[in-house]
Amino acid sequence: MHWRVLITVVLMAAPAWGETPQPWVDASINLHGGSATVIATRGAKAWAISAEHVSSGIGKHVSFTCSDNRTAGTGTWVAEDPTRDLALLEVRTRDTIGVAPVYRQLQRGRLVACGFPKGKGPAPKRFAWAEETRITNLPARRYRFAVKEGRFRGGDSGGGVFVNGSLVSVISHGADDDEVAYGATHRDILAFLGRQEEKTGKLVKDDPPDSAEEDSKEAWSWGDRDRTHQIIELWKAIKNQPQKTGPAGPAGPAGPAGAAGQDASTAALESVRRELADLRQQLETIRRTPITVQVLDPKTKQVVAEQAYPFGTPIKLILPTK
């Protein structure tokens, strides 16, 4: 049976997790029944992000332990968003040992995560980007990650997914011993934190100087980029191509060569053709992306059935009547 368990762990390609301290591990905290990540500090206060279903309710208190298993404290839930499955916890800065900031620009590179399965850990994992999808029990779109190292356990819910030490997603659910995890999108995290900044002050950091896209085998695929931006840029490239001239007139006297009346260069046209072919391939990839449907027990929140359907498949849900 699949369970509605959240996870958050990922591994970098380091030889052993314990050999070199990782800032994103230091920022991870154990809620003893869930996980969270410290994302910002200001003076005596700090804030951690987790999953809404881990929260006990706005104004409620929760005890936590840092990843060194020594530093501990008590926090207060100050914000929730059940649609995005996100929650914000206010803690004391002196009770934390690390911060994993959220940047406005989605960072790219190797994906790692960290959580506290069954209240123990930290337990890092290594993820790989799979796709963006929808699931039936959450209205907001989700990132779907492939778990390359490690397995899900209860208590990992609410943990963070990281790139280059910055938080890019919060795991909303997965399944014990499964190799797939789902998490909130970066844009939903920005929207959620943005609504809280009037009360808390700045929670999202400006982009670092070296925030250019990392060119590596484990960098996120095109599916994580802004496709609208790509389409607009392609449209601009086509629009800016020089206009072709009309039919050639009768030959005139020889004169100096000029730029007027030139056709678009062969290289430029070929570049546009390649971009159009790439766009068609991306659209085909979207069409092939399946939609995962899960059925949850309303009392236990356990996943009792799960099925993937081809993109565009009509799905009818029949609700029980009282």
Side-chain angles (χ1 to χ4, degrees), residues 113-235:
C114 188
F116 296 85
K118 299 182 179 180
K120 299 179 180 180
K125 288 184 173 63
R126 186 169 67 87
F127 284 3
W129 169 259
E131 64 184 352
E132 188 175 312
T133 186
R134 288 187 184 275
I135 57 176
T136 55
N137 60 315
L138 287 174
R141 293 184 69 84
R142 304 276 96 188
Y143 288 149
R144 184 169 72 87
F145 302 105
V147 182
K148 293 301 184 181
E149 294 185 29
R151 288 291 184 272
F152 288 141
R153 295 291 186 275
D156 281 321
S157 299
V161 181
F162 310 92
V163 172
N164 299 329
S166 68
L167 184 136
V168 298
S169 181
V170 174
I171 298 300
S172 56
H173 75 287
D176 277 354
D177 295 321
D178 203 351
E179 296 181 352
V180 175
Y182 296 87
T185 64
H186 180 258
R187 61 179 176 274
D188 278 349
I189 292 175
L190 293 182
F192 171 68
L193 295 178
R195 291 204 307 271
Q196 316 311 321
E197 289 185 333
E198 183 175 344
K199 298 178 181 178
T200 64
K202 193 172 183 179
L203 296 174
V204 179
K205 296 190 67 174
D206 296 329
D207 298 328
D210 57 349
S211 62
E213 179 177 337
E214 179 178 324
D215 183 17
S216 72
K217 292 182 179 179
E218 295 191 54
W220 288 29
S221 71
W222 71 268
D224 189 56
R225 300 179 184 173
D226 187 344
R227 298 166 194 160
T228 302
H229 175 74
Q230 290 178 324
I231 294 171
I232 292 174
E233 289 302 312
L234 179 57
W235 176 81

Side-chain angles (χ1 to χ4, degrees), residues 7-35:
I7 295 278
T8 57
V9 251
V10 172
L11 226 202
M12 287 206 169
W17 291 100
E19 292 180 4
T20 304
Q22 302 288 349
W24 46 273
V25 175
D26 292 343
S28 301
I29 59 176
N30 184 357
L31 302 181
H32 306 287
S35 302

